[in-house]
């Protein structure tokens, strides 16, 4: 049998089966189809496809989420069982503050529910991107388990913004592990999860995705530099902090980056 055989009947059934839906105090379908939520669904789906294009995904694992800009505590997240490259706006799922599905045609994967719900609720982050992208993950496997933010220019944009979660506890299959990760962030935008991957947060999808992309580029540069075996030549911490402030003062590039990916992708007509 080919390694690329058609999905099994069980997988087909899981994808097609109606997902269980929580009962909100408001009309979830109206909220899901509102103009603001629809735009966020398009933004999140685009970021997922961009991540697939840039090699930041891993099978059907890992998730991106964004909170709705209201007081409901609800957030949007990509569904279980879809490749990032195939996710469209109507595949995105709406959940309540605890991660229980409210609207959307797919289920949510349990580890996504526990990690993302906790980070949105406890850390108060608007957009949460969790990946096992290769170079960043590689740095979680070795001391000091993080990026050196004084090495490359790309790394300096993260100076003072990174935390390390040094305790790997296996898959996040309950509330306690999601809460532990959220508290380990201690307000940081970026957290390196030991033996696991990274979480990147932002005030909106475009900013968070731009940081995710450049974090992986910075980690790639560090891994390649270390692989030469030659002495590393870091910049002064004060200069790294200055560069980080320069990047934060000019984020138009972040919005333009994601917009240009939308314009250039072959499937853009289906998303307009």
């Amino acid at each position: 049998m080919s390694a690329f055989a058609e999905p099994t009947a069980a997988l087909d059934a899981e994808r097609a089966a109606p997902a269980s839906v929580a009962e909100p105090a408001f009309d979830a379908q109206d909220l899901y189809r509102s103009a603001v939520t629809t735009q966020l669904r398009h933004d999140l789906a685009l970021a997922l496809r961009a991540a697939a294009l840039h090699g930041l995904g891993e099978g059907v694992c890992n998730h991106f989420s964004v909170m709705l800009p209201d007081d409901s505590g609800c957030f949007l997240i990509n569904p279980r069982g879809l490749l990032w490259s195939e996710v469209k706006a109507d595949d995105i799922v709406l959940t309540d503050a605890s991660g229980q599905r409210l609207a959307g045609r797919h289920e949510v994967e349990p580890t996504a529910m526990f990690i993302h719900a906790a980070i949105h609720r406890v850390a108060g982050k608007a957009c949460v991107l969790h990946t096992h992208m290769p170079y960043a993950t590689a740095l979680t496997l070795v001391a000091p388990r993080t990026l050196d933010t004084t090495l490359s220019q790309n790394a300096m944009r993260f100076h003072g913004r990174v935390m390390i979660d040094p305790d790997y506890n296996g898959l996040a299959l309950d509330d306690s592990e999601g809460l532990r990760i959220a508290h380990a962030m201690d307000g940081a935008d970026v957290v390196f999860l030991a033996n696991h991957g990274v979480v990147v947060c932002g005030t909106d999808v475009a900013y968070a995705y731009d940081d995710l992309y450049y974090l992986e580029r910075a980690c790639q540069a560090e891994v390649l530099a270390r692989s030469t075996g030659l002495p590393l030549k870091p910049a002064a911490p004060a200069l790294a902090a200055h560069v980080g402030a320069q990047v934060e003062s000019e984020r138009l590039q972040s919005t333009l980056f994601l917009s240009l990916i939308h314009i250039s992708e072959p499937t853009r007509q289906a998303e307009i």
Side-chain angles (χ1 to χ4, degrees):
M1 181 181 293
S2 167
F4 299 97
E6 290 298 312
T8 64
L11 179 56
D12 286 338
E14 180 177 338
R15 285 191 168 194
S20 57
V21 182
E23 291 295 334
F26 48 85
D27 191 315
Q29 290 299 327
D30 284 350
L31 181 60
Y32 187 75
R33 296 295 176 187
S34 70
V36 171
T37 304
T38 296
Q39 184 59 59
L40 286 174
R41 289 192 287 113
H42 280 274
D43 292 345
L44 200 61
L46 175 59
L48 288 155
R49 296 195 305 273
L53 175 68
H54 294 140
L56 308 183
E58 186 172 68
V60 294
C61 300
N62 302 162
H63 297 81
F64 290 4
S65 62
V66 61
M67 287 193 73
L68 300 190
D70 55 25
D71 296 325
S72 67
C74 297
F75 63 91
L76 299 167
I77 193 165
N78 55 303
R80 182 176 193 168
L82 293 184
L83 295 170
W84 287 2
S85 59
E86 66 179 324
V87 174
K88 301 293 192 297
D90 283 346
D91 295 312
I92 299 297
V93 179
L94 174 67
T95 80
D96 65 15
S98 66
Q100 296 300 311
R101 176 183 171 274
L102 298 177
R105 60 193 182 189
H106 303 287
E107 287 283 7
V108 178
E109 198 268 329
T111 61
M113 177 175 64
F114 293 123
I115 292 175
H116 288 255
I119 294 175
H120 284 303
R121 188 172 69 252
V122 174
K125 301 297 185 181
C127 184
V128 179
L129 313 182
H130 171 47
T131 79
H132 301 164
M133 52 193 189
Y135 289 99
T137 301
L139 291 182
T140 74
L141 311 180
V142 297
R145 295 193 183 277
T146 189
L147 174 73
D148 186 335
T149 58
T150 64
L151 285 176
S152 69
Q153 178 173 279
N154 282 339
M156 293 177 199
R157 71 187 286 159
F158 301 104
H159 195 75
R161 299 174 57 201
V162 177
M163 288 295 292
I164 305 168
D165 174 13
D167 302 314
Y168 177 66
N169 287 329
L171 300 181
L173 294 176
D174 56 42
D175 284 322
S176 63
E177 182 61 9
L179 289 170
R180 191 194 63 76
I181 291 172
H183 285 295
M185 294 179 66
D186 196 26
D189 297 326
V190 178
V191 59
F192 281 71
L193 308 173
N195 307 100
H196 184 175
V198 294
V199 174
V200 174
C201 302
T203 56
D204 63 31
V205 175
Y207 284 17
Y209 186 75
D210 193 53
D211 277 346
L212 185 78
Y213 174 84
Y214 282 104
L215 181 68
E216 179 69 347
R217 296 288 289 184
C219 292
Q220 180 182 24
E222 180 169 337
V223 170
L224 292 175
R226 290 186 181 279
S227 72
T228 68
L230 298 173
L232 299 175
K233 297 292 186 179
L239 178 57
H242 175 65
V243 172
Q246 287 180 314
V247 173
E248 282 299 300
S249 70
E250 177 49 82
R251 294 304 301 259
L252 176 60
Q253 185 76 11
S254 303
T255 303
L256 293 174
F257 182 37
L258 204 58
S259 297
L260 288 171
I261 293 171
H262 185 202
I263 292 170
S264 63
E265 66 173 347
T267 60
R268 65 187 182 278
Q269 294 301 324
E271 284 292 294
I272 295 176

